[in-house]
Amino acid sequence: MSRDNSALKIIKKVTGRATSDGAGVNLTRIMGTPELNMLDPFLLLDEFQSDKADDYIAGFPDHPHRGFETVTYMLAGKIRHKDNAGHEGVIEPGGIQWMTAGRGIIHSEMPEQEDGLLWGFQLWINLPATQKMTEPKYQEFSKDEIPRETRDGNIIVRVITGETILGTEGPVKNIATNPVYLDIRLPAGTEFSEPVATSNNKFIYVYSGSLSLPDTGNRIMKLETGDLAVLGQGEKLCITAGTDGANCLFLSALPLNEPVARGGPFVMNTRDEIEQAVRDYQEGNL
Ligand code: MN
């Protein structure tokens, strides 16, 4: 494990909390909690992982969004989505749906299965004030459309958005906050290093296995499955997998530094804008 001073260091570590959302889906909220309210421009991170239908079958029936982006990434199982503009499809294992809600949509997100494992993530990313009322749009890619890089030690990097040092570009493009979204899978004991944009906010979330990286005192800290670490200053991500390997998500994006007003499924800059979103929804103008 290197103690390279340019390596990204952990400034905060949190573990998700069990909660329920939608019509009664049991999930783990990792960001959007009292421990980690947000990491500008990231607003929320949920992980749902269960092979018990009762945990997920109720799904997320019709609900609105305005002012930000919802990013759904599936590891196992399928989710059918359907919106009020006639857009419909199924997100399959390994697939991504990047939905820019913009001025607003009403949609449902329902499991496309009655048993078996459902495992995935939903991340919310804020939009700048200038794009909160943009036309809604989707960028959707299947597992086969997301490029994979193989690094030394058989490390696999799936690039959803952004570009790696080796030049692999993710298929999701033209996102306001210039994000990087990597799914990194490290065999036991391997080390991974990747330069990062120093102006971005960054975090890593371990979804299986364990890994280690330095903290601000340059002590090597271990992250276990279910741990999220907010990463501070540094020029490159340097992680070392534990004895069972590690699978993790790495996210990086430009902070907006704008006021954030949250109102459930709406995220705007002011309370007045939240109230307007509620009225627009109630009056059928979303
Ligand atoms: Mn939704």
Side-chain angles (χ1 to χ4, degrees), residues 60-61 63-65 68 70 72 97 99 105 107-109 122 124 265:
F60 300 84
H63 60 277
H65 292 294
F68 62 103
T70 70
T72 306
Q97 181 197 59
M99 183 184 83
I105 57 110
H107 75 165
S108 59
E109 297 157 284
Q122 187 165 95
W124 290 10

Side-chain angles (χ1 to χ4, degrees), residues 111-128:
E112 184 82 346
Q113 63 193 50
E114 291 175 353
D115 50 38
L117 177 62
L118 189 76
W119 190 3
F121 307 94
Q122 187 165 95
L123 176 69
W124 290 10
I125 305 181
N126 210 355
L127 286 168

Side-chain angles (χ1 to χ4, degrees), residues 1-283:
M1 179 83 215
S2 69
R3 288 175 190 250
D4 187 334
N5 258 331
S6 65
L8 286 177
K9 294 168 182 63
I10 299 173
I11 53 175
K12 180 173 180 150
K13 183 176 107 167
V14 298
T15 304
R17 50 168 61 200
T19 187
S20 177
D21 207 340
V25 175
N26 292 322
L27 51 80
T28 303
R29 181 145 298 155
I30 306 144
M31 185 187 298
T33 62
E35 291 78 24
L36 184 61
N37 181 45
M38 63 177 287
L39 177 68
D40 187 11
F42 304 109
L43 299 163
L44 174 143
L45 177 65
D46 283 344
E47 179 176 20
F48 39 93
Q49 178 189 18
S50 179
D51 57 8
K52 298 184 199 71
D54 284 352
D55 284 332
Y56 59 72
I57 203 74
F60 300 84
D62 276 349
H63 60 277
H65 292 294
R66 171 181 280 179
F68 62 103
E69 307 187 277
T70 70
V71 179
T72 306
Y73 178 45
M74 297 302 295
L75 296 178
K78 300 179 186 181
I79 297 270
R80 176 174 293 275
H81 65 92
K82 187 175 185 178
D83 77 11
N84 59 332
H87 189 92
E88 182 173 6
V90 175
I91 314 168
E92 306 225 1
I96 187 95
Q97 181 197 59
W98 200 292
M99 183 184 83
T100 305
R103 66 168 306 281
I105 57 110
I106 300 166
H107 75 165
S108 59
E109 297 157 284
M110 302 297 290
E112 184 82 346
Q113 63 193 50
E114 291 175 353
D115 50 38
L117 177 62
L118 189 76
W119 190 3
F121 307 94
Q122 187 165 95
L123 176 69
W124 290 10
I125 305 181
N126 210 355
L127 286 168
T130 53
Q131 293 190 28
K132 282 186 176 292
M133 295 299 277
T134 191
E135 280 303 304
K137 70 172 183 186
Y138 293 86
Q139 299 191 58
E140 292 171 299
F141 298 95
S142 67
K143 182 181 180 187
D144 292 342
E145 294 170 318
I146 298 173
R148 291 159 50 110
E149 252 178 22
T150 304
R151 304 274 185 106
D152 286 352
N154 257 337
I155 295 168
I156 304 290
V157 184
R158 305 189 75 224
V159 186
I160 293 163
T161 190
E163 184 176 356
T164 70
I165 187 70
L166 299 185
T168 306
E169 273 183 63
V172 175
K173 307 272 192 194
N174 300 318
I175 302 298
T177 48
N178 200 24
V180 174
Y181 190 158
L182 307 178
D183 175 352
I184 310 166
R185 302 179 183 194
L186 301 96
T190 55
E191 289 187 27
F192 174 82
S193 170
E194 174 73 18
V196 298
T198 52
S199 48
N200 283 10
N201 280 337
K202 299 162 275 279
F203 73 88
I204 191 166
Y205 177 67
V206 180
Y207 67 84
S208 65
S210 66
L211 56 80
S212 53
L213 69 167
D215 70 3
T216 50
N218 241 3
R219 293 171 296 245
I220 300 304
M221 300 290 286
K222 194 170 181 186
L223 298 180
E224 307 279 359
T225 301
D227 286 342
L228 179 151
V230 177
L231 304 173
Q233 294 301 308
E235 291 159 20
K236 56 188 180 184
L237 174 68
C238 295
I239 51 178
T240 303
T243 50
D244 293 326
N247 292 348
C248 62
L249 307 179
F250 173 73
L251 272 300
S252 157
L254 261 181
L256 295 171
N257 298 311
E258 292 179 358
V260 175
R262 289 188 190 236
F266 309 121
V267 182
M268 304 299 289
N269 297 109
T270 67
R271 294 313 307 172
D272 282 354
E273 290 167 345
I274 293 291
E275 285 162 22
Q276 183 65 50
V278 171
R279 278 196 301 277
D280 285 350
Y281 175 48
Q282 287 169 344
E283 291 165 7

